[in-house]
Amino acid sequence: MQQLSWQRWIGSGASRQLVENICRPLMKLPSRSSAVVFSLLLLLGGALISTRLLDSNAFSSSAKTLTASKITLPDKIPKKHLEIPLNCTALNHTGTCPANYPTTTGGTIEEPGPPSTCPEYFRWIHEDLRPWAHTGITREAVETAKRTANFRLVIVNGKAYVERYQRAFQTRDVFTLWGILQLLRRFPGQVPDLELMFDCVDWPVIAKSDGYNENGPNATAVPPPLFRYCGDDRTLDIVFPDWSFWGWPEINIKPWEGLQKELKEGNKRKRWMEREAYAYWKGNPAVAETRMDLMKCNVSEEHDWNARVFAQDWVKESQQGYKQSDLANQCLHRYKIYIEGSAWSVSQKYIMACDSVTLMVKPHYYDFFTRSLVPVHHYWPIQEHDKCKSIKFAVDWGNSHKQKAQEIGKAASSFIQDELKMDFVYDYMLHLLTQYSKLLTFKPVVPKRAVELCSESMACNAAGLEKKFIMESLVKSPSERAPCTIPPPYDPPSLSLVLRRNSNSIKQVELWEKRYWDNQNKQQQ
């Protein structure tokens, strides 16, 4: 098109007029000068025409290239991330935490839409804090919780301070505090001032029977607000994500963010139909009588209860390099048993991540996410006092209803992979601490015996697996997304409906199980 337009211009009156205007004065020059000038004009004209033709060909070629290969330009230039360094040099030089930690995210958080809604289990934050909804949390109540606490945590102006009372078992307190420090790095300037007591022991201790009225404006006593890893229906302890999300070095359990990906990959190694058609459990039976009872369900000369259970010797396993306890290599059975230890067990999330049907022996405790699990959708309930028969029936039922069994296993692993990501773990921590801080009736202050805590003071002097897991779970920059939006609290009818639905599902399974064994007994008569 460009070449055709140029040719038309060459033959037009405009071009002839230009030639006449240039050439007429030159006709009056001497012949030799005229010859030189005409030669120059011819060269100049040829150059112009050649250049135009070359440009036209180049444009045509470029157009063809653009048509053949579509170029997608980025909508916006990627924003530079705010990096939060781990400054061990400064710590070693001054012996104190760096003073230049960021107090904001470094810019506006940009998302392709409004923040996502938090998973359903976030609604239990409101329930856990309900005992203080009308009275607030007084300093006296916090001090009362000191009786069994391992440490007091104070956050003021985005900095963490800890006052220790007693060491926790293994490194529970270390990795719990590390997780809180990572929360401050992930959401700088967003964690409010607060003061709380934390108990790292398994069993909840703030009993409802101690005279605390947990509901209504006429509360006769304010219960001590005590944080821990689990609760039960008889207590008022506030549940918080456990230390294992950042690693458990004593038994070589890696931080959750990386381990979750390994479990997802390990899950793909063997399809459900190709797995062993039995129920599998491996753990420490010595910690609880109910686990010792489970060991009786193992295969023997007299019975095969469809269970394959093994005692885990952690001392021997540590000496052999943890080769037989890699969680990502344990998705080999169609069914996996979850059973509590002395209280709740951190193993639940690892067991449920396998696509296997989780056979859950009736639990007495809950952690922060398990109250949203639905029987016969996320897991299969197992009777506590008749475990062997209950497991036998569950496996026989699943092997006879393979599609439904696979759906239950898949629902559980999808829950663990999609709704228990570290993004949501940190969001849960942020929402829980934010709602808790709103209930405080006093201004948090740093106690005289408290010491400032920062990532440097915990990471720089660590060693071995503790150091490895700390570095693997280090938050390197603030979150680029806003925290999810916490759903509203349950109203009494809705909560009653949830509890009744779960209870009815369990009763239905027990009825099926009774019919199964009644038929078995009739056949043997």
Side-chain angles (χ1 to χ4, degrees):
M1 182 66 70
Q2 293 288 339
Q3 185 174 356
L4 183 60
S5 299
W6 176 249
Q7 289 171 344
R8 287 176 179 171
W9 187 86
I10 291 294
S12 67
S15 65
R16 287 195 299 272
Q17 182 67 36
L18 178 62
V19 172
E20 289 180 6
N21 290 339
I22 294 175
C23 296
R24 187 177 292 114
L26 295 176
M27 298 295 291
K28 301 176 181 179
L29 294 175
S31 58
R32 182 174 294 180
S33 299
S34 298
V36 172
V37 171
F38 274 114
S39 299
L40 290 173
L41 283 173
L42 285 173
L43 289 172
L44 178 61
L48 286 170
I49 293 170
S50 298
T51 302
R52 191 67 180 179
L53 291 174
L54 285 171
D55 287 346
S56 174
N57 290 335
F59 177 84
S60 176
S61 175
S62 299
K64 289 177 182 178
T65 303
L66 285 171
T67 303
S69 62
K70 215 171 184 181
I71 297 176
T72 304
L73 297 176
D75 293 333
K76 51 178 76 172
I77 298 172
K79 186 171 127 182
K80 187 177 180 181
H81 297 179
L82 172 65
E83 293 284 340
I84 305 177
L86 189 70
N87 196 342
C88 291
T89 303
L91 178 74
N92 294 333
H93 181 67
T94 64
T96 59
C97 293
N100 59 344
Y101 264 102
T103 56
T104 65
T105 57
T108 303
I109 295 175
E110 297 182 3
E111 286 194 329
S116 61
T117 301
C118 303
E120 182 75 8
Y121 61 83
F122 278 64
R123 301 182 77 173
W124 290 95
I125 290 175
H126 306 293
E127 299 304 314
D128 287 347
L129 298 177
R130 192 177 296 280
W132 302 273
H134 297 283
T135 64
I137 297 173
T138 64
R139 175 166 290 285
E140 180 184 5
V142 172
E143 295 300 329
T144 304
K146 178 181 175 180
R147 180 170 54 90
T148 63
N150 290 93
F151 62 83
R152 180 200 306 261
L153 172 72
V154 180
I155 296 177
V156 174
N157 296 327
K159 293 185 177 182
Y161 304 85
V162 64
E163 183 179 41
R164 296 181 186 273
Y165 304 124
Q166 50 188 323
R167 281 302 299 253
F169 177 64
Q170 297 181 338
T171 51
R172 290 185 178 195
D173 55 346
V174 172
F175 280 87
T176 299
L177 289 167
W178 175 254
I180 292 168
L181 291 176
Q182 302 322 295
L183 176 71
L184 295 175
R185 290 169 69 94
R186 185 177 179 86
F187 295 115
Q190 297 184 60
V191 181
D193 290 2
L194 57 86
E195 193 168 334
L196 62 82
M197 296 289 181
F198 206 109
D199 188 339
C200 300
V201 178
D202 283 343
W203 313 280
V205 297
I206 309 300
K208 294 177 182 179
S209 60
D210 287 348
Y212 302 119
N213 184 349
E214 61 169 319
N215 292 307
N218 300 318
T220 56
V222 179
L226 183 62
F227 284 70
R228 72 170 63 250
Y229 309 120
C230 73
D232 64 20
D233 294 336
R234 301 164 297 173
T235 56
L236 300 174
D237 300 60
I238 303 169
V239 294
F240 194 82
D242 70 81
W243 73 95
S244 68
F245 283 94
W246 296 274
W248 190 354
E250 286 83 4
I251 58 173
N252 196 38
I253 290 183
K254 303 172 186 176
W256 178 239
E257 189 162 23
L259 180 54
Q260 188 183 38
K261 295 174 184 175
E262 291 183 15
L263 287 165
K264 188 174 183 177
E265 291 304 311
N267 210 0
K268 300 175 183 176
R269 291 172 192 162
K270 186 171 273 195
R271 294 172 56 250
W272 191 89
M273 289 295 295
E274 297 170 351
R275 299 181 184 185
E276 296 290 328
Y278 300 105
Y280 172 87
W281 181 81
K282 188 174 187 178
N284 182 3
V287 297
E289 185 178 342
T290 186
R291 289 190 174 185
M292 295 297 293
D293 189 44
L294 175 65
M295 300 302 293
K296 299 174 184 176
C297 302
N298 221 337
V299 62
S300 66
E301 294 181 1
E302 293 81 19
H303 297 287
D304 186 351
W305 301 109
N306 290 337
R308 302 294 183 264
V309 296
F310 304 90
Q312 177 72 71
D313 183 343
W314 284 112
V315 174
K316 182 178 179 182
E317 186 65 15
S318 65
Q319 294 171 347
Q320 296 179 350
Y322 301 100
K323 294 178 182 178
Q324 303 301 318
S325 58
D326 186 348
L327 295 171
N329 290 328
Q330 293 186 11
C331 298
L332 304 175
H333 295 75
R334 293 182 183 177
Y335 312 90
K336 297 193 73 173
I337 300 169
Y338 169 74
I339 185 168
E340 293 177 336
S342 56
W344 119 108
S345 171
V346 301
S347 65
Q348 187 164 4
K349 57 183 174 290
Y350 313 125
I351 289 170
M352 295 185 68
C354 264
D355 273 2
S356 305
V357 181
T358 299
L359 306 185
M360 189 179 299
V361 179
K362 182 182 177 180
H364 294 277
Y365 302 92
Y366 53 78
D367 67 5
F368 75 101
F369 71 86
T370 53
R371 285 170 286 183
S372 65
L373 298 175
V374 179
V376 198
H377 176 67
H378 293 112
Y379 68 91
W380 187 271
I382 297 296
Q383 295 191 52
E384 178 183 18
H385 299 297
D386 206 354
K387 298 180 185 67
C388 300
K389 282 188 173 182
S390 198
I391 291 169
K392 166 74 173 171
F393 166 69
V395 173
D396 283 351
W397 183 91
N399 289 336
S400 301
H401 301 79
K402 295 182 178 66
Q403 182 175 347
K404 179 60 180 174
Q406 289 180 74
E407 289 173 1
I408 295 173
K410 189 62 180 176
S413 59
S414 295
F415 175 91
I416 296 299
Q417 291 292 340
D418 299 337
E419 300 188 31
L420 202 60
K421 297 181 290 189
M422 280 307 296
D423 285 348
F424 287 136
V425 175
Y426 282 121
D427 287 358
Y428 188 95
M429 295 163 64
L430 179 64
H431 281 302
L432 173 59
L433 295 180
T434 300
Q435 297 300 319
Y436 170 84
S437 71
K438 291 177 181 179
L439 295 171
L440 298 180
T441 62
F442 61 93
K443 183 179 180 179
V445 294
V446 180
K448 292 181 180 179
R449 295 177 54 194
V451 296
E452 184 181 354
L453 207 60
C454 58
S455 294
E456 283 80 0
S457 64
M458 296 195 73
C460 297
N461 296 321
L465 272 182
E466 183 177 329
K467 173 90 168 185
K468 182 176 185 291
F469 291 166
I470 279 176
M471 295 309 296
E472 286 179 2
S473 57
L474 175 71
V475 170
K476 298 180 176 63
S477 60
S479 175
E480 295 180 349
R481 64 168 190 86
C484 62
T485 302
I486 186 171
Y490 290 108
D491 56 46
S494 298
L495 182 56
S496 177
L497 182 64
V498 169
L499 299 176
R500 190 166 60 251
R501 176 202 64 192
N502 291 349
S503 177
N504 289 341
S505 295
I506 292 172
K507 288 178 180 177
Q508 179 64 69
V509 171
E510 291 175 350
L511 180 60
W512 292 339
E513 186 175 322
K514 183 179 182 302
R515 290 174 180 171
Y516 171 88
W517 285 110
D518 286 347
N519 290 333
Q520 292 289 316
N521 292 334
K522 287 180 182 178
Q523 292 175 11
Q524 292 176 3
Q525 290 175 358

